Each structure stands twice: as C-alpha cells, then as structure tokens.
Amino acid sequence: MDTNLSQTIDITTERARYDEYIKEILSDKQILARILKYTLEEFQDTDIDTIIANIDEPEVSKVRVEPGHTNTETIKGAPTEDNVPGEGKIFFDIRFSAYSKDELIKILINIEAQKSTNTSKLGYHLDNRIIYYLGRMISAQKEVEFAKSDYDNLKPVRSIWICMDAGDNEDSINRIRFVQDTVFGKDIEFSNINKVQGIIIRLRSNENVAESKNSLIAMLEELLKREPVDIKKQRLSENFGLMMSVDTERRLGDMCNLSQVLIDQGEEKGRVKGREEGREEGKVVARFEDGMNIETIAHKSQLSVERVKAILKEEGLIS
C-alpha cells in the first residue's frame, strides 16, 4: 500500500510534469503568434501566418546551462537559463526571438506561466521579478547581440507573464514600460525607451465563468481549461482558428491526459483522507464511551487534547 508520503511525492511529480506540458503547449508557434499579436504593438497589424514565419524556434526550460556559458551562445535557439558568475541562476519558461516590420527588427521575448500574482503566496511583488527578468535579458546581450560600446545594436526585450489566479471579473492585460518625463527645461526625444516592456496577462481561476470579452484571454483560458481533449481541440479550432497539427494535437493530448490523472489522484487522496479521519474519530468516540478521560484518549490516539475535544464536541458528547 502506498504511504501518504509516497502518494504526495507521486502527485508532486505529476504536477511538475503537468507544468512542463503547459510550457510545451504555450510554446506552440500558433499560440505564441497570437500572444504577440494581441499584446505587443510591433505585431498588432501583422497577420498570424506572417508572425509564425518570423518566430525562431522557442526553447522551453529543460536543460541547465553551466555558469558563465550564457554569453557564448547566440540568441537564436536561446538558452533558457541566464548565468553570471557570482549571481544566482534563473530559468526562463519559454524564450525565443521574433522579427517585426518589413525591416525585420529582432525582438527577444520571454514568456512565463505563473500560477499566482498574490504577494503573500509568492513572498515578493511580481513586478519586481518581471523587472529583474527584463534586466537579465538586457545584460545577457553583451558580447552576443553587441560588443564593446555598440549599444545601438541592443535588441528590444519583452517579458510576458501569463497569470492564472484572477477573480471572475479581473481578467486583464497590463503593460509595464519606461515613461519619459521632463523635470525641467526643453523636452528631449528619447526614441529607444520602448525597448524594455513587461506584459501581465491575467486569466481567471474559475473555469465556469462566461467567455472573456478579450479574444486572447478567451483562447488562453480555453487552452488551459481542464476538459476532455476532443472538446478542447474542437473549440480551439472552431472558435479561435487554431490548426490541429500533429505537434499541437500531441501537446494538447499530453496536457489533458495528465490533467485527468491529477484530478483522479486528488479525488482518491481526498477519499483516503476521509476514511482515515473517520477511523480517527471513531476511535476517539469509542474510547470516550468506554470511560477513558480526554488526556488518556489524546495520548493513545496520538492526537492533541484540543483535537480530541473538537471531535467530541462535533459528536455532541461534550459541550
């Protein structure tokens, strides 16, 4: 029989795999193209097929990059981990470059799947983390995209965060970027302050809410909803125009199948816990009815006195 610990480890492992499948499906170029079109000004007037053609092959965080090796790579097929000797490691969920406009301006893009925006859960403010990621994407370009003082070859960076814990009426897309203010005297036009931008896409956690009025959010909520794969494929195809390629179908199948496994495991864990709690309560009641005092019951049941009292109160045996 599996112990509670082994069951917990199994579920934790499956959840980690599920997170990887989410990253895989988000890295599908059909999905990436729609994210770019509906969040970034550089792509808003470009058709989806053209955006897809102008996206380099995305890298999903799987492989660790050894310290000091980041800047020996080229950005195309960019490593998903930045490293500088003496600094901590960070992993990017999805990292790639894309090209916009007729002159094909290169933009370095990072997409993160984030379960929560709640500061108390995260232990930090999300905007601080986004700023840090953008800073690393800028600094990693030294000796890769430009050398010495050739700063005009600095490429724009975009960090897009897909957050999945918004309330029923809180779906939104927000942008973080530099703003120019003149403190005194004549304005100076700085034409490159738009090179650093963060985007936060907030999806709703309630899967039964009405479809979002924003087409990108509606597509992403459908994409990540836990439902049978055949229904998901049909809705994504008919409502949002996604082509069900072999790779797209495989990614959706993997994600949906593991999603059902997690639901089944969670339900079984709940049933086991309920049976165990039932046995625990039954033993406490039986011992009390046999005349055993509360302190002795607590000792024999390996429960706190407060827990024993709570059980007895629930059963109406003490006030």
Side-chain angles (χ1 to χ4, degrees):
M1 179 181 294
D2 286 343
T3 65
N4 285 337
L5 176 60
S6 68
Q7 289 176 350
T8 301
I9 291 172
D10 287 344
I11 292 177
T12 300
T13 301
E14 298 293 354
R15 282 178 180 159
R17 286 179 57 207
Y18 182 67
D19 289 345
E20 288 301 315
Y21 285 146
I22 287 179
K23 295 175 191 177
E24 287 284 350
I25 192 62
L26 288 174
S27 71
D28 189 298
K29 287 188 178 183
Q30 292 190 80
I31 307 300
L32 294 179
R34 285 163 172 80
I35 293 173
L36 300 189
K37 182 174 179 64
Y38 297 112
T39 61
L40 302 183
E41 294 170 332
E42 296 89 347
F43 297 95
Q44 64 182 8
D45 296 325
T46 308
D47 65 87
I48 293 296
D49 289 341
T50 300
I51 298 174
I52 290 173
N54 289 332
I55 295 176
D56 281 339
E57 196 61 33
E59 289 282 338
V60 180
S61 79
K62 290 180 179 178
V63 180
R64 294 178 66 89
V65 179
E66 295 300 320
H69 286 197
T70 299
N71 290 353
T72 65
E73 303 284 347
T74 58
I75 286 294
K76 185 173 182 179
T80 55
E81 176 185 320
D82 265 337
N83 237 307
V84 176
E87 296 186 18
K89 295 179 179 180
I90 63 170
F91 291 86
F92 293 102
D93 281 357
I94 305 165
R95 195 176 178 192
F96 61 100
S97 52
Y99 302 82
S100 72
K101 312 295 184 184
D102 294 336
E103 62 270 29
L104 295 181
I105 299 170
K106 186 175 184 180
I107 302 174
L108 311 184
I109 300 166
N110 151 238
I111 293 181
E112 297 289 321
Q114 179 82 12
K115 288 177 182 158
S116 179
T117 57
N118 190 306
T119 300
S120 61
K121 290 181 180 179
L122 295 173
Y124 56 83
H125 290 84
L126 183 61
D127 49 336
N128 281 334
R129 186 176 178 187
I130 294 172
I131 292 167
Y132 177 70
Y133 273 46
L134 287 166
R136 293 301 292 263
M137 293 171 71
I138 287 288
S139 63
Q141 293 185 49
K142 181 72 170 171
E143 308 304 335
V144 177
E145 298 294 344
F146 71 95
K148 298 182 180 179
S149 298
D150 191 13
Y151 294 109
D152 281 349
N153 276 328
L154 188 72
K155 301 300 185 289
V157 296
R158 305 287 184 261
S159 189
I160 303 172
W161 293 67
I162 300 171
C163 303
M164 308 174 193
D165 66 340
D168 290 358
N169 298 311
E170 295 177 344
D171 50 323
S172 62
I173 301 175
N174 291 274
R175 179 181 288 117
I176 300 171
R177 57 182 170 183
F178 290 149
V179 174
Q180 177 184 342
D181 287 322
T182 299
V183 178
F184 171 78
K186 183 178 176 60
D187 290 343
I188 298 177
E189 181 180 350
F190 294 105
S191 58
N192 292 292
I193 61 172
N194 65 344
K195 285 197 171 181
V196 179
Q197 291 184 17
I199 305 290
I200 302 172
I201 305 170
R202 299 191 69 202
L203 309 183
R204 295 165 296 180
S205 57
N206 180 4
E207 296 187 346
N208 297 316
V209 292
E211 183 175 297
S212 175
K213 295 178 181 179
N214 179 274
S215 59
L216 174 62
I217 291 175
M219 183 202 72
L220 290 173
E221 287 183 342
E222 175 61 42
L223 182 73
L224 300 176
K225 185 184 296 184
R226 300 194 179 196
E227 63 185 354
V229 66
D230 289 342
I231 294 175
K232 187 182 295 294
K233 287 193 299 185
Q234 182 178 355
R235 288 178 177 170
L236 288 171
S237 177
E238 293 180 356
N239 298 344
F240 304 103
L242 267 68
M243 302 293 292
M244 288 299 128
S245 66
V246 173
D247 282 345
T248 302
E249 289 202 14
R250 174 187 60 78
R251 288 165 171 163
L252 283 173
D254 288 342
M255 185 178 70
C256 291
N257 291 339
L258 189 52
S259 170
Q260 187 58 50
V261 169
L262 286 171
I263 292 171
D264 293 344
Q265 286 179 337
E267 290 177 349
E268 177 58 26
K269 187 177 180 182
R271 286 192 291 268
V272 170
K273 184 178 180 182
R275 290 195 294 269
E276 290 175 347
E277 289 179 349
R279 289 196 297 269
E280 174 187 275
E281 293 170 359
K283 289 178 182 179
V284 167
V285 170
R287 285 167 175 163
F288 184 78
E289 290 177 343
D290 285 342
M292 197 175 292
N293 64 46
I294 290 175
E295 288 74 16
T296 304
I297 294 172
H299 175 72
K300 287 186 174 293
S301 303
Q302 296 184 324
L303 300 172
S304 67
V305 170
E306 290 74 16
R307 174 61 182 153
V308 171
K309 287 181 179 179
I311 292 172
L312 296 176
K313 285 180 180 178
E314 288 173 2
E315 297 296 326
L317 296 175
I318 63 174
S319 59

